[in-house]
Amino acid sequence: MITQELKERALGAYLGFACGDALGATVEFMTPSQIQQRYGLHQDIIGGGWLALKAGQVTDDTQMSLALGAAILEQQGWQLTAVAEHFLTWLDSDPPDIGNTCKRGLLRYRATGELCDPIRKDSAGNGACMRNLPVVLATLWHADDFIEWSLQQSHITHNNPLSDAATLCLGQMTQHLIQGCTLTETLSLSAQLIANHPEFNYHPYPGKSSAYIVDTVQTVLHAIENTDNFESCLLKTVNQGGDADTTGALAGMLAGAHYGVSQIPERWLAALDQSITTQIQQQSLELLQLAKSFSIQK
């Protein structure tokens, strides 16, 4: 059943994701000390950064997520070629940024038509994990579809056991939070991730926040576990620097699912590119409706 609370948590996850992306992009590739020297505490969506973004502009994290969501809604279900084609259309739109692994995988698909990259050690980046939220929403009550769709969209560009495990873990955590599970209950999934892949252990937090999926997940989990509201979670994350647009986006996804859209600071929502906000509002509701329709069919 799609309750008002569930809709607010789902929208909170998607808008929180975009806010974290836009907030973090300003300080991407900076160190914590550099951020402190320049901004004190970086806490406003102001654009700039190495990409020279306009205030409220988002990066590949949100753009690829919207492309994935558009493919799912266009097909009213799962069609992997449609996903790859939407990614290619995005690639051809002259985006402000694209990760090397994502670009390599999309160019391979364009050249060969192959939808699955070979397993590679150098595919342990965060580029597949960062764009999976539309799958999370569309398969909210369907665990098998969630796993299949998540891994298939990931493997277009990233085929690596650590990337796979992280994408599934953060996605399942987001689903649990949207469905109203407590944070303590949800963190048990991260404990299972660490049991299977000890590299992800973040106790104590190593302090790295690069695009390497282990660093990304450690940063996000450390922030969500050690804060008690949406704003402090994102500020703790992005002020760590590094790949701050992606760590910010993923922290925003979890925090938005946990606290709900009403807890996202109004100044961030107002600063966000309103065309992006509109697309997110539409996709989040339509993806939930699609998930519900799957439940009725099954």
PDB file of all heavy atoms in Angstrom, residues 201-236:
ATOM      1  N   ASN A 201      34.403  -2.382   6.577  1.00  0.00           N
ATOM      2  CA  ASN A 201      34.308  -2.025   7.987  1.00  0.00           C
ATOM      3  C   ASN A 201      34.678  -0.555   8.204  1.00  0.00           C
ATOM      4  O   ASN A 201      35.723  -0.086   7.731  1.00  0.00           O
ATOM      5  CB  ASN A 201      35.235  -2.919   8.814  1.00  0.00           C
ATOM      6  CG  ASN A 201      35.113  -2.631  10.298  1.00  0.00           C
ATOM      7  OD1 ASN A 201      34.051  -2.276  10.789  1.00  0.00           O
ATOM      8  ND2 ASN A 201      36.216  -2.778  11.009  1.00  0.00           N
ATOM      9  N   TYR A 202      33.837   0.182   8.898  1.00  0.00           N
ATOM     10  CA  TYR A 202      34.063   1.616   9.123  1.00  0.00           C
ATOM     11  C   TYR A 202      34.160   1.960  10.603  1.00  0.00           C
ATOM     12  O   TYR A 202      33.985   3.112  10.998  1.00  0.00           O
ATOM     13  CB  TYR A 202      32.969   2.447   8.447  1.00  0.00           C
ATOM     14  CG  TYR A 202      31.559   2.153   8.913  1.00  0.00           C
ATOM     15  CD1 TYR A 202      30.914   2.977   9.846  1.00  0.00           C
ATOM     16  CD2 TYR A 202      30.861   1.060   8.425  1.00  0.00           C
ATOM     17  CE1 TYR A 202      29.636   2.714  10.268  1.00  0.00           C
ATOM     18  CE2 TYR A 202      29.569   0.791   8.830  1.00  0.00           C
ATOM     19  CZ  TYR A 202      28.960   1.619   9.758  1.00  0.00           C
ATOM     20  OH  TYR A 202      27.674   1.350  10.179  1.00  0.00           O
ATOM     21  N   HIS A 203      34.449   0.950  11.425  1.00  0.00           N
ATOM     22  CA  HIS A 203      34.662   1.154  12.859  1.00  0.00           C
ATOM     23  C   HIS A 203      36.095   0.744  13.197  1.00  0.00           C
ATOM     24  O   HIS A 203      36.373  -0.450  13.285  1.00  0.00           O
ATOM     25  CB  HIS A 203      33.673   0.317  13.671  1.00  0.00           C
ATOM     26  CG  HIS A 203      32.247   0.638  13.445  1.00  0.00           C
ATOM     27  ND1 HIS A 203      31.378  -0.217  12.821  1.00  0.00           N
ATOM     28  CD2 HIS A 203      31.507   1.747  13.745  1.00  0.00           C
ATOM     29  CE1 HIS A 203      30.175   0.320  12.767  1.00  0.00           C
ATOM     30  NE2 HIS A 203      30.236   1.514  13.305  1.00  0.00           N
ATOM     31  N   PRO A 204      36.998   1.709  13.351  1.00  0.00           N
ATOM     32  CA  PRO A 204      36.813   3.167  13.267  1.00  0.00           C
ATOM     33  C   PRO A 204      36.798   3.650  11.818  1.00  0.00           C
ATOM     34  O   PRO A 204      37.313   2.953  10.918  1.00  0.00           O
ATOM     35  CB  PRO A 204      38.041   3.716  14.005  1.00  0.00           C
ATOM     36  CG  PRO A 204      39.097   2.679  13.740  1.00  0.00           C
ATOM     37  CD  PRO A 204      38.378   1.344  13.730  1.00  0.00           C
ATOM     38  N   TYR A 205      36.230   4.813  11.601  1.00  0.00           N
ATOM     39  CA  TYR A 205      36.136   5.371  10.261  1.00  0.00           C
ATOM     40  C   TYR A 205      37.525   5.747   9.751  1.00  0.00           C
ATOM     41  O   TYR A 205      38.235   6.531  10.383  1.00  0.00           O
ATOM     42  CB  TYR A 205      35.232   6.600  10.284  1.00  0.00           C
ATOM     43  CG  TYR A 205      35.186   7.367   8.973  1.00  0.00           C
ATOM     44  CD1 TYR A 205      34.885   6.722   7.780  1.00  0.00           C
ATOM     45  CD2 TYR A 205      35.431   8.737   8.944  1.00  0.00           C
ATOM     46  CE1 TYR A 205      34.842   7.416   6.586  1.00  0.00           C
ATOM     47  CE2 TYR A 205      35.378   9.449   7.755  1.00  0.00           C
ATOM     48  CZ  TYR A 205      35.086   8.779   6.578  1.00  0.00           C
ATOM     49  OH  TYR A 205      35.042   9.475   5.387  1.00  0.00           O
ATOM     50  N   PRO A 206      37.960   5.215   8.594  1.00  0.00           N
ATOM     51  CA  PRO A 206      39.315   5.492   8.087  1.00  0.00           C
ATOM     52  C   PRO A 206      39.507   6.909   7.570  1.00  0.00           C
ATOM     53  O   PRO A 206      40.650   7.333   7.356  1.00  0.00           O
ATOM     54  CB  PRO A 206      39.471   4.475   6.937  1.00  0.00           C
ATOM     55  CG  PRO A 206      38.429   3.434   7.181  1.00  0.00           C
ATOM     56  CD  PRO A 206      37.286   4.160   7.814  1.00  0.00           C
ATOM     57  N   GLY A 207      38.421   7.630   7.289  1.00  0.00           N
ATOM     58  CA  GLY A 207      38.544   9.019   6.865  1.00  0.00           C
ATOM     59  C   GLY A 207      38.798   9.222   5.392  1.00  0.00           C
ATOM     60  O   GLY A 207      39.206  10.311   4.973  1.00  0.00           O
ATOM     61  N   LYS A 208      38.560   8.192   4.587  1.00  0.00           N
ATOM     62  CA  LYS A 208      38.741   8.324   3.142  1.00  0.00           C
ATOM     63  C   LYS A 208      37.374   8.458   2.469  1.00  0.00           C
ATOM     64  O   LYS A 208      36.416   7.806   2.874  1.00  0.00           O
ATOM     65  CB  LYS A 208      39.490   7.122   2.581  1.00  0.00           C
ATOM     66  CG  LYS A 208      40.874   6.914   3.181  1.00  0.00           C
ATOM     67  CD  LYS A 208      41.507   5.633   2.642  1.00  0.00           C
ATOM     68  CE  LYS A 208      42.856   5.368   3.275  1.00  0.00           C
ATOM     69  NZ  LYS A 208      43.461   4.099   2.788  1.00  0.00           N
ATOM     70  N   SER A 209      37.293   9.273   1.416  1.00  0.00           N
ATOM     71  CA  SER A 209      35.995   9.509   0.772  1.00  0.00           C
ATOM     72  C   SER A 209      36.133   9.584  -0.744  1.00  0.00           C
ATOM     73  O   SER A 209      35.506  10.402  -1.401  1.00  0.00           O
ATOM     74  CB  SER A 209      35.367  10.797   1.307  1.00  0.00           C
ATOM     75  OG  SER A 209      36.264  11.889   1.185  1.00  0.00           O
ATOM     76  N   SER A 210      36.982   8.707  -1.277  1.00  0.00           N
ATOM     77  CA  SER A 210      37.220   8.708  -2.714  1.00  0.00           C
ATOM     78  C   SER A 210      36.085   7.998  -3.441  1.00  0.00           C
ATOM     79  O   SER A 210      35.122   7.503  -2.839  1.00  0.00           O
ATOM     80  CB  SER A 210      38.540   8.000  -3.025  1.00  0.00           C
ATOM     81  OG  SER A 210      38.387   6.591  -2.911  1.00  0.00           O
ATOM     82  N   ALA A 211      36.208   7.902  -4.773  1.00  0.00           N
ATOM     83  CA  ALA A 211      35.217   7.212  -5.589  1.00  0.00           C
ATOM     84  C   ALA A 211      35.356   5.690  -5.512  1.00  0.00           C
ATOM     85  O   ALA A 211      34.499   4.977  -6.060  1.00  0.00           O
ATOM     86  CB  ALA A 211      35.313   7.664  -7.047  1.00  0.00           C
ATOM     87  N   TYR A 212      36.390   5.188  -4.887  1.00  0.00           N
ATOM     88  CA  TYR A 212      36.504   3.750  -4.621  1.00  0.00           C
ATOM     89  C   TYR A 212      35.307   3.354  -3.768  1.00  0.00           C
ATOM     90  O   TYR A 212      35.019   3.985  -2.748  1.00  0.00           O
ATOM     91  CB  TYR A 212      37.824   3.466  -3.916  1.00  0.00           C
ATOM     92  CG  TYR A 212      38.056   2.045  -3.466  1.00  0.00           C
ATOM     93  CD1 TYR A 212      37.752   0.957  -4.284  1.00  0.00           C
ATOM     94  CD2 TYR A 212      38.613   1.792  -2.211  1.00  0.00           C
ATOM     95  CE1 TYR A 212      37.985  -0.348  -3.865  1.00  0.00           C
ATOM     96  CE2 TYR A 212      38.856   0.502  -1.783  1.00  0.00           C
ATOM     97  CZ  TYR A 212      38.527  -0.566  -2.615  1.00  0.00           C
ATOM     98  OH  TYR A 212      38.763  -1.857  -2.190  1.00  0.00           O
ATOM     99  N   ILE A 213      34.588   2.330  -4.158  1.00  0.00           N
ATOM    100  CA  ILE A 213      33.306   2.020  -3.534  1.00  0.00           C
ATOM    101  C   ILE A 213      33.441   1.769  -2.036  1.00  0.00           C
ATOM    102  O   ILE A 213      32.546   2.121  -1.261  1.00  0.00           O
ATOM    103  CB  ILE A 213      32.624   0.823  -4.243  1.00  0.00           C
ATOM    104  CG1 ILE A 213      31.174   0.677  -3.781  1.00  0.00           C
ATOM    105  CG2 ILE A 213      33.429  -0.452  -4.055  1.00  0.00           C
ATOM    106  CD1 ILE A 213      30.278   1.851  -4.075  1.00  0.00           C
ATOM    107  N   VAL A 214      34.554   1.206  -1.594  1.00  0.00           N
ATOM    108  CA  VAL A 214      34.751   0.964  -0.163  1.00  0.00           C
ATOM    109  C   VAL A 214      34.811   2.288   0.585  1.00  0.00           C
ATOM    110  O   VAL A 214      34.137   2.469   1.613  1.00  0.00           O
ATOM    111  CB  VAL A 214      36.019   0.120   0.076  1.00  0.00           C
ATOM    112  CG1 VAL A 214      36.361   0.074   1.566  1.00  0.00           C
ATOM    113  CG2 VAL A 214      35.829  -1.284  -0.481  1.00  0.00           C
ATOM    114  N   ASP A 215      35.602   3.236   0.085  1.00  0.00           N
ATOM    115  CA  ASP A 215      35.701   4.548   0.738  1.00  0.00           C
ATOM    116  C   ASP A 215      34.350   5.252   0.749  1.00  0.00           C
ATOM    117  O   ASP A 215      33.959   5.884   1.751  1.00  0.00           O
ATOM    118  CB  ASP A 215      36.715   5.429   0.011  1.00  0.00           C
ATOM    119  CG  ASP A 215      38.137   4.906   0.094  1.00  0.00           C
ATOM    120  OD1 ASP A 215      38.407   4.037   0.939  1.00  0.00           O
ATOM    121  OD2 ASP A 215      38.983   5.382  -0.694  1.00  0.00           O
ATOM    122  N   THR A 216      33.637   5.170  -0.353  1.00  0.00           N
ATOM    123  CA  THR A 216      32.331   5.820  -0.463  1.00  0.00           C
ATOM    124  C   THR A 216      31.355   5.266   0.564  1.00  0.00           C
ATOM    125  O   THR A 216      30.704   6.025   1.300  1.00  0.00           O
ATOM    126  CB  THR A 216      31.763   5.619  -1.883  1.00  0.00           C
ATOM    127  OG1 THR A 216      32.579   6.312  -2.821  1.00  0.00           O
ATOM    128  CG2 THR A 216      30.342   6.148  -1.985  1.00  0.00           C
ATOM    129  N   VAL A 217      31.236   3.965   0.636  1.00  0.00           N
ATOM    130  CA  VAL A 217      30.279   3.342   1.555  1.00  0.00           C
ATOM    131  C   VAL A 217      30.661   3.611   3.003  1.00  0.00           C
ATOM    132  O   VAL A 217      29.798   3.901   3.844  1.00  0.00           O
ATOM    133  CB  VAL A 217      30.184   1.828   1.272  1.00  0.00           C
ATOM    134  CG1 VAL A 217      29.405   1.114   2.364  1.00  0.00           C
ATOM    135  CG2 VAL A 217      29.522   1.599  -0.082  1.00  0.00           C
ATOM    136  N   GLN A 218      31.939   3.523   3.324  1.00  0.00           N
ATOM    137  CA  GLN A 218      32.372   3.809   4.695  1.00  0.00           C
ATOM    138  C   GLN A 218      31.978   5.228   5.101  1.00  0.00           C
ATOM    139  O   GLN A 218      31.490   5.467   6.220  1.00  0.00           O
ATOM    140  CB  GLN A 218      33.883   3.636   4.815  1.00  0.00           C
ATOM    141  CG  GLN A 218      34.332   2.188   4.770  1.00  0.00           C
ATOM    142  CD  GLN A 218      35.845   2.063   4.741  1.00  0.00           C
ATOM    143  OE1 GLN A 218      36.556   2.958   4.275  1.00  0.00           O
ATOM    144  NE2 GLN A 218      36.358   0.947   5.249  1.00  0.00           N
ATOM    145  N   THR A 219      32.175   6.181   4.207  1.00  0.00           N
ATOM    146  CA  THR A 219      31.845   7.578   4.508  1.00  0.00           C
ATOM    147  C   THR A 219      30.348   7.757   4.726  1.00  0.00           C
ATOM    148  O   THR A 219      29.917   8.418   5.687  1.00  0.00           O
ATOM    149  CB  THR A 219      32.333   8.488   3.366  1.00  0.00           C
ATOM    150  OG1 THR A 219      33.754   8.414   3.294  1.00  0.00           O
ATOM    151  CG2 THR A 219      31.916   9.932   3.582  1.00  0.00           C
ATOM    152  N   VAL A 220      29.560   7.163   3.868  1.00  0.00           N
ATOM    153  CA  VAL A 220      28.101   7.310   3.957  1.00  0.00           C
ATOM    154  C   VAL A 220      27.553   6.641   5.220  1.00  0.00           C
ATOM    155  O   VAL A 220      26.741   7.230   5.947  1.00  0.00           O
ATOM    156  CB  VAL A 220      27.446   6.727   2.690  1.00  0.00           C
ATOM    157  CG1 VAL A 220      25.939   6.632   2.842  1.00  0.00           C
ATOM    158  CG2 VAL A 220      27.809   7.579   1.474  1.00  0.00           C
ATOM    159  N   LEU A 221      27.999   5.427   5.494  1.00  0.00           N
ATOM    160  CA  LEU A 221      27.500   4.717   6.675  1.00  0.00           C
ATOM    161  C   LEU A 221      27.958   5.393   7.963  1.00  0.00           C
ATOM    162  O   LEU A 221      27.193   5.480   8.939  1.00  0.00           O
ATOM    163  CB  LEU A 221      27.969   3.264   6.640  1.00  0.00           C
ATOM    164  CG  LEU A 221      27.390   2.399   5.516  1.00  0.00           C
ATOM    165  CD1 LEU A 221      27.960   0.979   5.588  1.00  0.00           C
ATOM    166  CD2 LEU A 221      25.869   2.366   5.559  1.00  0.00           C
ATOM    167  N   HIS A 222      29.176   5.879   7.972  1.00  0.00           N
ATOM    168  CA  HIS A 222      29.675   6.606   9.152  1.00  0.00           C
ATOM    169  C   HIS A 222      28.796   7.827   9.428  1.00  0.00           C
ATOM    170  O   HIS A 222      28.452   8.107  10.588  1.00  0.00           O
ATOM    171  CB  HIS A 222      31.124   7.030   8.909  1.00  0.00           C
ATOM    172  CG  HIS A 222      31.680   7.937   9.955  1.00  0.00           C
ATOM    173  ND1 HIS A 222      31.970   7.518  11.233  1.00  0.00           N
ATOM    174  CD2 HIS A 222      32.014   9.267   9.904  1.00  0.00           C
ATOM    175  CE1 HIS A 222      32.455   8.538  11.933  1.00  0.00           C
ATOM    176  NE2 HIS A 222      32.487   9.602  11.163  1.00  0.00           N
ATOM    177  N   ALA A 223      28.409   8.540   8.374  1.00  0.00           N
ATOM    178  CA  ALA A 223      27.608   9.752   8.555  1.00  0.00           C
ATOM    179  C   ALA A 223      26.199   9.439   9.029  1.00  0.00           C
ATOM    180  O   ALA A 223      25.696  10.073   9.966  1.00  0.00           O
ATOM    181  CB  ALA A 223      27.569  10.546   7.248  1.00  0.00           C
ATOM    182  N   ILE A 224      25.526   8.483   8.401  1.00  0.00           N
ATOM    183  CA  ILE A 224      24.140   8.192   8.773  1.00  0.00           C
ATOM    184  C   ILE A 224      24.059   7.612  10.179  1.00  0.00           C
ATOM    185  O   ILE A 224      23.095   7.863  10.915  1.00  0.00           O
ATOM    186  CB  ILE A 224      23.459   7.254   7.737  1.00  0.00           C
ATOM    187  CG1 ILE A 224      21.951   7.168   7.968  1.00  0.00           C
ATOM    188  CG2 ILE A 224      24.066   5.872   7.755  1.00  0.00           C
ATOM    189  CD1 ILE A 224      21.177   8.386   7.585  1.00  0.00           C
ATOM    190  N   GLU A 225      25.082   6.871  10.584  1.00  0.00           N
ATOM    191  CA  GLU A 225      25.064   6.257  11.914  1.00  0.00           C
ATOM    192  C   GLU A 225      25.356   7.263  13.023  1.00  0.00           C
ATOM    193  O   GLU A 225      24.865   7.111  14.155  1.00  0.00           O
ATOM    194  CB  GLU A 225      26.084   5.116  11.981  1.00  0.00           C
ATOM    195  CG  GLU A 225      26.069   4.348  13.290  1.00  0.00           C
ATOM    196  CD  GLU A 225      27.054   3.206  13.302  1.00  0.00           C
ATOM    197  OE1 GLU A 225      26.959   2.309  12.434  1.00  0.00           O
ATOM    198  OE2 GLU A 225      27.933   3.189  14.186  1.00  0.00           O
ATOM    199  N   ASN A 226      26.121   8.310  12.700  1.00  0.00           N
ATOM    200  CA  ASN A 226      26.610   9.207  13.751  1.00  0.00           C
ATOM    201  C   ASN A 226      25.989  10.596  13.717  1.00  0.00           C
ATOM    202  O   ASN A 226      26.561  11.543  14.269  1.00  0.00           O
ATOM    203  CB  ASN A 226      28.135   9.308  13.651  1.00  0.00           C
ATOM    204  CG  ASN A 226      28.819   8.014  14.050  1.00  0.00           C
ATOM    205  OD1 ASN A 226      28.932   7.703  15.232  1.00  0.00           O
ATOM    206  ND2 ASN A 226      29.257   7.236  13.063  1.00  0.00           N
ATOM    207  N   THR A 227      24.828  10.728  13.094  1.00  0.00           N
ATOM    208  CA  THR A 227      24.081  11.981  13.095  1.00  0.00           C
ATOM    209  C   THR A 227      22.620  11.675  13.408  1.00  0.00           C
ATOM    210  O   THR A 227      22.201  10.512  13.354  1.00  0.00           O
ATOM    211  CB  THR A 227      24.183  12.697  11.735  1.00  0.00           C
ATOM    212  OG1 THR A 227      23.779  11.791  10.689  1.00  0.00           O
ATOM    213  CG2 THR A 227      25.605  13.159  11.453  1.00  0.00           C
ATOM    214  N   ASP A 228      21.864  12.717  13.713  1.00  0.00           N
ATOM    215  CA  ASP A 228      20.468  12.465  14.105  1.00  0.00           C
ATOM    216  C   ASP A 228      19.463  13.304  13.335  1.00  0.00           C
ATOM    217  O   ASP A 228      18.315  13.437  13.753  1.00  0.00           O
ATOM    218  CB  ASP A 228      20.296  12.686  15.616  1.00  0.00           C
ATOM    219  CG  ASP A 228      20.641  14.101  16.057  1.00  0.00           C
ATOM    220  OD1 ASP A 228      20.922  14.966  15.194  1.00  0.00           O
ATOM    221  OD2 ASP A 228      20.640  14.350  17.277  1.00  0.00           O
ATOM    222  N   ASN A 229      19.881  13.897  12.214  1.00  0.00           N
ATOM    223  CA  ASN A 229      18.928  14.603  11.362  1.00  0.00           C
ATOM    224  C   ASN A 229      19.504  14.683   9.951  1.00  0.00           C
ATOM    225  O   ASN A 229      20.697  14.430   9.729  1.00  0.00           O
ATOM    226  CB  ASN A 229      18.589  15.997  11.907  1.00  0.00           C
ATOM    227  CG  ASN A 229      19.796  16.905  12.005  1.00  0.00           C
ATOM    228  OD1 ASN A 229      20.284  17.425  11.001  1.00  0.00           O
ATOM    229  ND2 ASN A 229      20.305  17.093  13.232  1.00  0.00           N
ATOM    230  N   PHE A 230      18.636  15.031   9.001  1.00  0.00           N
ATOM    231  CA  PHE A 230      19.041  15.037   7.602  1.00  0.00           C
ATOM    232  C   PHE A 230      20.188  16.003   7.345  1.00  0.00           C
ATOM    233  O   PHE A 230      21.195  15.636   6.720  1.00  0.00           O
ATOM    234  CB  PHE A 230      17.839  15.417   6.720  1.00  0.00           C
ATOM    235  CG  PHE A 230      18.156  15.404   5.248  1.00  0.00           C
ATOM    236  CD1 PHE A 230      17.957  14.261   4.501  1.00  0.00           C
ATOM    237  CD2 PHE A 230      18.674  16.528   4.610  1.00  0.00           C
ATOM    238  CE1 PHE A 230      18.266  14.226   3.139  1.00  0.00           C
ATOM    239  CE2 PHE A 230      18.991  16.512   3.255  1.00  0.00           C
ATOM    240  CZ  PHE A 230      18.778  15.358   2.527  1.00  0.00           C
ATOM    241  N   GLU A 231      20.071  17.220   7.816  1.00  0.00           N
ATOM    242  CA  GLU A 231      21.077  18.229   7.504  1.00  0.00           C
ATOM    243  C   GLU A 231      22.445  17.848   8.051  1.00  0.00           C
ATOM    244  O   GLU A 231      23.454  17.938   7.336  1.00  0.00           O
ATOM    245  CB  GLU A 231      20.658  19.594   8.051  1.00  0.00           C
ATOM    246  CG  GLU A 231      21.655  20.691   7.717  1.00  0.00           C
ATOM    247  CD  GLU A 231      21.162  22.083   8.082  1.00  0.00           C
ATOM    248  OE1 GLU A 231      20.067  22.201   8.661  1.00  0.00           O
ATOM    249  OE2 GLU A 231      21.878  23.061   7.783  1.00  0.00           O
ATOM    250  N   SER A 232      22.503  17.415   9.290  1.00  0.00           N
ATOM    251  CA  SER A 232      23.808  17.090   9.868  1.00  0.00           C
ATOM    252  C   SER A 232      24.440  15.894   9.169  1.00  0.00           C
ATOM    253  O   SER A 232      25.661  15.823   9.014  1.00  0.00           O
ATOM    254  CB  SER A 232      23.663  16.812  11.369  1.00  0.00           C
ATOM    255  OG  SER A 232      22.835  15.702  11.621  1.00  0.00           O
ATOM    256  N   CYS A 233      23.616  14.959   8.699  1.00  0.00           N
ATOM    257  CA  CYS A 233      24.152  13.811   7.965  1.00  0.00           C
ATOM    258  C   CYS A 233      24.840  14.271   6.680  1.00  0.00           C
ATOM    259  O   CYS A 233      25.963  13.849   6.375  1.00  0.00           O
ATOM    260  CB  CYS A 233      23.034  12.826   7.649  1.00  0.00           C
ATOM    261  SG  CYS A 233      23.579  11.374   6.706  1.00  0.00           S
ATOM    262  N   LEU A 234      24.185  15.151   5.925  1.00  0.00           N
ATOM    263  CA  LEU A 234      24.790  15.616   4.675  1.00  0.00           C
ATOM    264  C   LEU A 234      26.003  16.492   4.921  1.00  0.00           C
ATOM    265  O   LEU A 234      26.997  16.408   4.199  1.00  0.00           O
ATOM    266  CB  LEU A 234      23.750  16.349   3.815  1.00  0.00           C
ATOM    267  CG  LEU A 234      23.245  15.486   2.647  1.00  0.00           C
ATOM    268  CD1 LEU A 234      22.470  14.289   3.180  1.00  0.00           C
ATOM    269  CD2 LEU A 234      22.405  16.288   1.693  1.00  0.00           C
ATOM    270  N   LEU A 235      25.938  17.348   5.934  1.00  0.00           N
ATOM    271  CA  LEU A 235      27.085  18.215   6.205  1.00  0.00           C
ATOM    272  C   LEU A 235      28.293  17.393   6.639  1.00  0.00           C
ATOM    273  O   LEU A 235      29.428  17.684   6.237  1.00  0.00           O
ATOM    274  CB  LEU A 235      26.717  19.250   7.265  1.00  0.00           C
ATOM    275  CG  LEU A 235      25.661  20.282   6.859  1.00  0.00           C
ATOM    276  CD1 LEU A 235      25.447  21.288   7.984  1.00  0.00           C
ATOM    277  CD2 LEU A 235      26.035  20.991   5.558  1.00  0.00           C
ATOM    278  N   LYS A 236      28.064  16.389   7.448  1.00  0.00           N
ATOM    279  CA  LYS A 236      29.166  15.525   7.882  1.00  0.00           C
ATOM    280  C   LYS A 236      29.789  14.824   6.681  1.00  0.00           C
ATOM    281  O   LYS A 236      31.014  14.656   6.612  1.00  0.00           O
ATOM    282  CB  LYS A 236      28.645  14.489   8.884  1.00  0.00           C
ATOM    283  CG  LYS A 236      29.734  13.680   9.574  1.00  0.00           C
ATOM    284  CD  LYS A 236      29.132  12.761  10.615  1.00  0.00           C
ATOM    285  CE  LYS A 236      30.195  12.100  11.479  1.00  0.00           C
ATOM    286  NZ  LYS A 236      30.915  13.045  12.346  1.00  0.00           N
TER     287      LYS A 236
END
